[in-house]
Amino acid sequence: MWVSNLIALCLVAVAVSGEDKKLSSHATSMADTSANLAISLYQNVAKEKNLENILISPVVVASSLGMVAMGGKSSTATQVKSLLKADSLRDDHLHSGLSELLQEVSDPQARNVTWRINNRLYGPSSVSFADDFVKNSKKYYNYEHLKINFRDKRSAINSINEWAAKSTDGKLAEVTKDVKNTDGATIVNAMFFKPHWDEKFHHKMVDNRGFLVTRSHTISVPMMHRTGLYDFLDDTQNKLYVLNMPLAHKKSSMVFIMPYHLEPLERLEKLLTRQQVDTWLSKLEERAVAISLPKVSLEVSHDLQKNLGELGLTEAVDKSKADLSNISGKKDLYLANVFHASSFEWDTEGNPFDASIYSSEKIRNPKLFYADHPFIFLVKDNKTNSILFIGRLVRPKGDKMRDEL
């Protein structure tokens, strides 16, 4: 009898452990924050970037802001919480919520993506990090802490870049060429992200095509091709396509938003709000789509210090006003630099596709999604509704093709 009871208990335990763990309300709140932060931060960065790629991980930025809130006191900390829409949260709930969210969405087994996230807080040689801050920022945000001598600027920059390259297995070769502010705290996020498609592209269905950066500038890129059933929207009013491509396990998706034809992305970016994105996603319908997508490897780095200041983080980035005394026990630091650097690639790899679909009526008369000109993309987590990445591809790597007459 006891054997059968033991087996029954084991089966119950397996069933419970196999269930999808529910997020706490604090983590859910921070997931919503990440989606709002994604749009506002993207819009702010896009204002000053002309023909440059953009790549931001809002959940990682939110986590870094949580670390700043942990290090801040009085109105400096209050401002950070306000930017995170966490004014009503207790500090311990803020930190545990952000930590839980990031652990959930970056779980490589559950999400079947490669996502290496490495964070460092650099302080001047004169700073002494407080033990409690070191312990808690490591516990909740996986931050390392290091003193750095910016008097030898070249050596300091080389040290940062070498650490980033090593921690991403060489995928992220450079975080920065220069550091403008050398007298405060410097945040560095160094990441490598590679999704795994729910249905792979055939490796032989890749050829070189032209990607139109502008009407007079075309770059040769490897282009992947496949036809399948995808959630798709042809927005005739705004003259754009929206394509949702599930990643493995369907826990997350890549969403592509692309104008019908080559044009500067300013028009599309003006449309980009949280409400508009939600509207587009709600109108997606499954249908046959013939996809041509560039095989991409992006390395993008932003110093977000100014951007975060413009979004409301005015005290932490101001040397005369910042109170980050929880970091060192003294009011001797301000947020001088926020380097947010990512290497991001997508290629043909993914789960096997169901070949039987090609004999189905559903696959006939596919819509064409031919991504040979600039577009915006999101990596959206389907469980938490958080935005893992938001970016745009305007200038992929490749050789310039001969301009057509």
Side-chain angles (χ1 to χ4, degrees), residues 63-64 66-67 70 91-103 119 132-143 145:
S63 295
S64 295
M67 186 273 295
M70 180 180 283
D91 287 353
D92 58 334
H93 288 165
L94 169 66
H95 303 313
S96 64
L98 284 168
S99 178
E100 181 186 350
L101 173 64
L102 194 57
Q103 286 182 33
N119 303 308
D132 280 351
F133 174 77
V134 169
K135 180 181 72 175
N136 288 322
S137 58
K138 177 71 174 176
K139 173 184 174 182
Y140 290 106
Y141 301 115
N142 199 29
Y143 257 82
H145 310 81

Side-chain angles (χ1 to χ4, degrees), residues 36-50 53-56 61 83 269-270 272-273 302-314 376 390 392:
N36 289 316
L37 184 63
I39 306 299
S40 57
L41 193 52
Y42 177 94
Q43 294 278 24
N44 193 277
V45 171
K47 287 191 305 183
E48 57 192 50
K49 303 288 184 184
N50 187 12
N53 302 320
I54 292 175
L55 187 57
I56 299 164
V61 173
L83 182 56
E269 287 167 341
K270 286 178 182 176
L272 200 68
T273 64
H302 306 289
D303 184 354
L304 298 177
Q305 190 246 25
K306 177 185 174 185
N307 308 102
L308 292 171
E310 291 177 353
L311 292 180
L313 199 72
T314 57
I376 291 172
I390 183 170
R392 73 183 186 194

